[in-house]
C-alpha cells in the first residue's frame, strides 16, 4: 500500500458553531466558507479563541456544526462519524496512549481496523522509518522527548494513510530549535504524502513557511484566504495586516497620510528614513538583530517601527527623524470596518 | 548550634510520640497473636501470658479443626473474590458512563447516586434482607455476593480518575475508530490500574471483614464466612478454652495481612493517584 493513494478536498459551506445557550451563548465559528484543495497544505491561522481549532474539530467530526455543511471529497459528512471520515489528527498534546509502547501506539489504529499482525508490524515499521523512530519502538511515550512524542503522533497518523491530515498546533509544545527543524520535516512529509493537510496554528512563522495557503481567522470569522505571500503583501483587513508580519505593520490613525475615513498601513521594511518625510518622530529604541536593525520611534501618529539594513546610517537615540514610504507600499483600510480599500 | 539542639530534641519528641502511637495500635494485635500461640492454661498465667515464651501451635490447630476454618476460609475467599471482581467491573462501567458519555440529567443522576453514600448500611439492611428472602437467596452464595456487587464509592473513585484522563485520548481513539467498550478496556482501565488495585483491595478487605450482612442472610453452616464462623469458637462455658477464639482470629486475619503486605504499594499509590497533577 502506497501512502497517499487517495486525495481529498475539504469544503466548508457557511459553517457556524455556537456553544452555550441564551445569554451565555458564544459564537466560536461564524459562517465560515472555505475550499481546501486536493493535496493542499492549508493553514488555519489566528489568535487564541478565534475559532480555528473548533473549525478543525468540525472537519474531524469531534464537534457538530450548529449550521452549515462540511464536505470531504464529494461526500457531505455532517452526520458521519469521525472514524468514517478518512482523516487522521495530530493533537497539540499528542494524545499518545501512555501505557502502550511506541510500536503499539503506531499499530493501534490498524489493530482497531482489524489489520493482520504481520501487515500491522510492517506498516508501523515503515512509518517509524519515515520519522526516524526505529530505535524507540519498545519505549513508552513517557520515556521520549517532546519531539520524539510528536513524531510518534505523526507516525500514528500516517500509518492510517488518511485522505486528510488534521493538525492542531502540533509544534507548540516544542522548543524553538526543534520547532524550526520539525517545520521543515512536516513540509517534506506533505511533499512525500499525497494528502491534504489542514494545520492549525497561531504562529505566523509556521503559517508563512509551511502553508500552500493561509486562512486567517478572527473572532470566528474568516478574514482572508490566500498564499502566504498574498496575505502578507495584500492583507484584506487591518487585522490581517497587523497579525501577519514581525514586527507588525505600522497602522496610522485615520487622517494621517490619507483621508479621515481611511487608515494607512506601512510595513516596517517600507518605512524609510527620508529627509523631509511626512512623519516626524523621535527615536526611542534601536534594536540590532545582526541581519537587520529595527528602529523604534515615537510620533504624533503613534509608535512607528522601521526595518533598516545594518549598513544604513543610523540616527542616535533621541534624534528627530523624518520617515515616509512610497505610495505603492501604502495599504489603505476603511477606518470603520478595517476592510482593505486599496 | 542551639537551633540544632532544639531541632534534635523536637525530632526525638516526634519519634517518641510515634513509638507510643505505634505501641497503642500494635499491642492488642500482639496480645491476640500471643494468646493464640499459648496453650489454654498458659494464656491466663498473667503477666507471663504477655511474654513470648512457651509458644505452641496447638491452639491454632484446635481452632482450625473445631471451627472447620478451612471451609470458612474458602467461603470467604470465594465471596470476597467474586465481590471484588464484580465491584471493579460495575465501577468501571458506571464510572465510564458518568465520565465520558453525554446524556440528559447526567449531573443530577450522579448527585443522587452520590447522595446514597449518606445512607448508612444499617438503614438498608432490613429491606435488603427482605428482598433477598423474597428471591429465595437466604443461605446462598448469590445472597452473599450480589447485593455487594456495586458500590457508590467505587464508581466515584474510578470516575474521578477517568475525569483526569486527557479528553484528547478519547478523541484520538474515536478518530481511530475505537468504540466505548474498547476504549474502556484498552485505554481507560489500564491507565486507572493503581486506583483499580486500591479499590479491589478495599473491596476485598471490606467483604472479608463483613459481619452484619452475612449474619442476616446466612444461618446454615455450608455458606458461613470466616467472620460468622468464628462465633463457633466462643466457649462461654469453658473459660480455659477462651484462646481458641484468638487462634481463629489469627487464622482469619492472616490472608488479609499477607495481602496488605504484598499490595501495600499499590494501595498507597491508588489513594494518592491524581492528588498531584502529573
Amino acid at each position: 500500500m502506497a501512502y497517499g493513494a487517495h486525495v481529498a478536498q475539504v469544503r466548508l459551506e457557511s459553517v457556524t458553531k455556537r456553544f452555550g445557550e441564551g445569554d451565555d451563548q458564544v459564537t466560536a465559528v461564524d459562517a465560515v466558507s472555505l475550499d481546501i484543495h486536493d493535496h493542499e497544505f492549508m493553514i488555519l491561522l489566528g489568535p487564541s479563541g478565534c475559532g480555528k481549532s473548533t473549525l478543525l474539530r468540525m472537519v474531524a467530526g469531534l464537534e457538530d456544526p450548529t449550521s452549515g455543511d462540511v464536505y470531504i471529497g464529494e461526500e457531505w459528512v455532517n452526520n458521519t462519524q469521525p472514524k468514517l471520515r478518512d482523516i487522521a489528527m495530530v493533537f497539540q498534546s499528542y494524545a499518545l496512549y501512555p501505557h502502550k509502547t511506541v510500536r503499539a501506539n503506531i499499530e493501534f489504529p490498524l489493530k482497531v481496523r482489524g489489520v493482520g499482525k504481520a501487515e500491522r508490524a510492517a506498516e508501523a515499521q515503515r512509518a517509524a522509518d519515515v520519522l526516524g523512530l526505529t530505535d524507540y519502538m519498545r519505549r513508552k511515550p513517557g520515556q521520549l522527548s517532546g519531539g520524539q512524542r510528536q513524531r510518534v503522533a505523526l507516525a500514528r497518523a500516517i500509518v492510517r494513510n488518511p485522505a486528510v491530515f488534521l493538525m492542531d498546533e502540533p509544534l507548540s509544545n516544542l522548543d524553538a530549535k526543534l520547532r524550526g527543524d520539525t517545520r521543515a520535516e512536516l513540509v517534506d512529509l506533505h511533499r512525500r504524502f499525497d494528502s491534504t493537510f489542514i494545520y492549525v496554528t497561531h504562529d505566523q512563522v509556521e503559517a508563512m513557511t509551511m502553508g500552500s495557503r493561509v486562512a486567517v481567522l478572527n473572532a470566528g470569522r474568516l478574514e482572508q484566504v490566500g498564499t502566504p505571500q498574498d496575505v502578507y503583501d495584500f492583507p484584506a483587513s487591518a487585522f490581517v495586516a497587523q497579525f501577519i508580519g514581525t514586527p507588525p505593520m505600522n497602522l496610522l490613525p485615520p487622517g494621517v497620510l490619507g483621508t479621515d475615513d481611511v487608515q494607512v498601513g506601512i510595513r516596517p521594511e517600507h518605512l524609510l528614513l527620508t529627509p523631509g518625510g511626512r512623519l516626524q518622530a523621535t527615536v526611542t529604541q534601536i534594536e540590532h538583530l545582526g541581519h537587520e536593525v529595527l528602529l523604534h520611534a515615537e510620533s504624533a501618529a503613534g509608535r512607528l517601527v522601521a526595518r533598516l539594513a545594518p549598513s544604513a546610517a543610523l540616527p542616535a537615540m533621541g534624534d528627530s527623524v523624518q520617515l515616509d514610504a512610497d505610495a505603492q507600499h501604502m495599504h489603505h483600510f476603511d477606518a470603520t470596518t478595517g476592510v482593505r480599500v486599496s | 548550634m542551639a537551633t540544632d539542639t532544639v531541632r534534635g530534641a523536637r525530632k526525638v519528641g516526634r519519634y517518641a510520640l510515634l513509638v507510643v502511637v505505634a505501641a497503642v495500635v500494635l499491642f492488642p494485635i500482639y496480645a491476640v497473636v500471643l494468646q493464640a500461640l499459648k496453650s489454654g492454661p498458659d494464656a491466663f498465667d498473667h503477666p507471663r501470658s504477655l511474654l513470648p515464651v512457651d509458644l505452641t501451635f496447638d491452639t491454632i490447630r484446635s481452632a482450625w479443626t473445631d471451627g472447620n476454618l478451612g471451609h470458612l476460609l474458602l467461603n470467604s475467599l470465594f465471596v470476597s473474590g467474586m465481590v471484588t471482581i464484580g465491584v471493579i467491573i460495575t465501577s468501571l462501567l458506571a464510572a465510564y458512563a458518568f465520565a465520558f458519555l453525554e446524556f440528559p440529567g447526567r449531573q443530577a443522576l450522579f448527585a443522587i447516586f452520590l447522595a446514597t453514600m449518606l445512607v448508612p448500611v444499617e438503614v438498608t439492611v432490613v429491606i435488603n434482607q427482605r428482598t433477598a428472602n423474597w428471591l429465595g437467596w437466604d443461605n446462598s452464595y448469590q445472597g452473599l455476593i450480589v447485593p455487594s456487587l456495586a458500590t457508590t464509592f467505587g464508581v466515584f473513585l474510578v470516575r474521578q480518575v477517568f475525569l483526569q484522563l486527557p479528553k484528547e485520548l478519547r478523541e484520538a481513539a474515536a478518530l481511530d475508530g475505537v468504540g466505548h467498550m474498547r476504549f474502556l478496556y484498552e485505554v481507560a482501565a489500564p491507565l486507572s490500574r493503581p486506583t483499580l488495585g486500591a479499590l479491589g483491595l478495599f473491596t476485598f478487605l471490606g467483604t472479608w471483614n463483613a459481619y452484619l450482612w452475612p449474619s442476616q442472610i446466612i444461618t446454615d453452616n455450608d455458606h458461613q464466612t470466616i467472620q460468622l464462623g468464628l462465633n463457633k469458637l466462643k466457649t462461654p462455658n469453658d473459660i480455659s478454652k477462651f484462646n481458641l477464639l484468638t487462634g481463629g482470629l489469627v487464622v482469619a486475619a492472616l490472608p488479609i495481612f499477607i495481602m496488605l503486605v504484598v499490595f501495600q504499594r499499590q494501595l498507597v499509590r491508588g489513594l494518592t493517584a491524581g492528588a498531584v497533577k502529573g
Side-chain angles (χ1 to χ4, degrees), chain B residues 15-29:
Chain B
Y15 276 99
L17 186 69
L18 285 175
V19 167
V20 171
V21 172
V24 168
V25 171
L26 291 177
F27 180 75
I29 299 169

Side-chain angles (χ1 to χ4, degrees), chain B residues 36 54 64 84-85 89 92 103 114 150 173 185-186 188 215 241 252 257:
Chain B
D54 304 328
W64 181 270
T84 303
I85 293 168
I89 292 172
L92 277 172
F103 54 90
L114 267 194
Y185 80 75
E186 195 136 9
S215 73
K241 287 190 175 173
F257 180 73

Side-chain angles (χ1 to χ4, degrees), chain A residues 11-17 27-36 42 44 50-52 54-56 58-59 65 67-71 215-225:
Chain A
R11 194 151 46 93
L12 305 169
E13 287 184 1
S14 261
V15 172
T16 296
K17 178 67 184 178
T27 303
V29 175
D30 193 0
V32 168
S33 295
L34 183 61
D35 262 329
I36 299 164
M42 172 61 87
L44 304 180
C50 72
K52 55 192 188 298
T54 308
L55 200 59
L56 190 79
M58 285 193 282
V59 175
S67 63
D69 300 298
V70 181
Y71 296 86
V216 186
L217 287 127
N218 179 32
R221 291 181 157 276
L222 189 59
E223 294 267 338
Q224 185 173 7
V225 186

